[in-house]
Amino acid sequence: MSDTTRRQLGQTDSPIEDELEDAFSRMLSEGTQRLHRTWRGVLVTGFFGGTEVGIGVLAYLSVLDATHRPLLAGLAFSIGFLALLLGRSELFTEGFIIPVVTVAAKRASLPQLLKLWGGTMFANLVGGWVIMWLIMTGFPELHAQTIESGTHFATAPLSGQSMALAVLGGMVITLMTRMQHGTDSVPAKIAAAVAAAFLLAGLRLFHSILDSLLIFGALITGEAPFGYLTWLGWFAYTVVGNMVGGLLFVTLLRLLRSKDRLEEERADAESS
């Protein structure tokens, strides 16, 4: 089918299908707003992202401690992703597909993207540390489970398995974002959040922010068999793996699928 025929059959004159056009427009609109935030907006939104995911970590630890079933605890963790969705806060790894599409469409610049990534990551970690201090102070009965969970991630050596888990973690979180922007249905968005939480936390995939909170909790107890330098080494390769999974296996394919539409946006941006 030619592009001309597709335009005539669709409800819009876009070179891509109507459903993809709707999702593309939503991503571009949201991405433009996010990338033009002030530093204050980036940091406050990122801080809330860290604290809200921390509430999901509390649910995860509580269920895991009571049942010793990671898959069930993963479902409980979905509270954190639901808070992100409905509270409009942000995780660093959510900033892959939407802002990158926006920059590719020339609706924002690369420095704005780096500001969003760097500011959100920093604020996520700060907010996450604060909420984990509160959790460890308020729930001393969860110390043993938190140390066990944090140690599982922090002491994992750099290997093919650990990198594969980090790549899969980046893919899952970015796929969740893609699914949520592919629909206007709130129940469908919630289903995507629950599914992603089940995979990410239930299967203990490596996620730079989520698992850092577990590691922080273990460190805050003062009884962890590792230190912050160990966390930093784990964090460094996990961020790389998350970015490979989110950018290469999800975002790049979206850009290729919407190539013609992106070229239209780029032309409009250059002409204006």
Side-chain angles (χ1 to χ4, degrees):
M1 181 184 296
S2 67
D3 285 345
T4 300
T5 303
R6 185 182 294 113
R7 292 172 190 263
Q8 292 173 344
L9 290 176
Q11 296 179 0
T12 71
D13 62 354
S14 173
I16 57 178
E17 291 90 339
D18 292 339
E19 292 82 1
L20 290 177
E21 171 61 28
D22 291 341
F24 182 88
S25 298
R26 280 192 290 268
M27 285 193 289
L28 199 59
S29 175
E30 181 176 333
T32 302
Q33 295 178 53
R34 287 163 64 176
L35 284 164
H36 286 84
R37 286 174 183 157
T38 63
W39 270 109
R40 181 181 64 182
V42 169
L43 294 175
V44 171
T45 304
F47 184 89
F48 278 133
T51 58
E52 289 166 1
V53 165
I55 299 302
V57 170
L58 172 59
Y60 172 85
L61 289 170
S62 300
V63 172
L64 187 60
D65 184 60
T67 67
H68 304 289
R69 296 181 180 274
L71 294 178
L72 188 60
L75 288 176
F77 172 74
S78 63
I79 293 171
F81 281 169
L82 292 175
L84 286 175
L85 171 67
L86 302 177
R88 307 299 295 175
S89 52
E90 187 168 358
L91 280 184
F92 158 66
T93 47
E94 284 187 294
F96 291 159
I97 187 168
I98 297 173
V100 170
V101 167
T102 305
V103 172
K106 291 192 174 183
R107 296 301 179 181
S109 66
L110 181 59
Q112 288 174 310
L113 176 62
L114 296 178
K115 180 181 79 171
L116 178 69
W117 280 352
T120 301
M121 179 193 295
F122 173 77
N124 283 166
L125 294 174
V126 173
W129 193 97
V130 170
I131 195 69
M132 290 310 298
W133 181 86
L134 290 172
I135 291 171
M136 292 299 97
T137 302
F139 295 92
E141 65 272 19
L142 294 178
H143 283 194
Q145 183 61 64
T146 305
I147 293 170
E148 178 185 338
S149 298
T151 302
H152 169 79
F153 294 104
T155 59
L158 175 57
S159 64
Q161 181 184 15
S162 57
M163 280 302 296
L165 291 172
V167 170
L168 287 169
M171 290 178 63
V172 167
I173 192 74
T174 309
L175 179 60
M176 179 186 76
T177 304
R178 178 182 170 185
M179 290 191 294
Q180 289 175 340
H181 284 80
T183 179
D184 287 324
S185 168
V186 173
K189 292 175 186 285
I190 292 173
V194 173
F198 175 78
L199 291 172
L200 196 63
L203 297 180
R204 297 201 292 185
L205 302 180
F206 283 20
H207 185 270
S208 53
I209 304 301
L210 163 60
D211 301 331
S212 286
L213 268 61
L214 293 170
I215 295 171
F216 288 164
L219 288 166
I220 289 167
T221 68
E223 301 174 7
F226 55 87
Y228 281 96
L229 285 178
T230 303
W231 161 73
L232 190 60
W234 172 88
F235 182 77
Y237 77 73
T238 302
V239 165
V240 173
N242 287 168
M243 295 186 73
V244 169
L247 294 174
L248 183 62
F249 288 101
V250 181
T251 302
L252 179 60
L253 295 178
R254 167 61 75 179
L255 293 176
L256 291 174
R257 183 64 185 85
S258 304
K259 179 177 178 292
D260 295 336
R261 186 66 177 84
L262 275 172
E263 290 178 349
E264 288 185 352
E265 285 293 331
R266 291 168 66 90
D268 288 344
E270 289 172 353
S271 64
S272 60

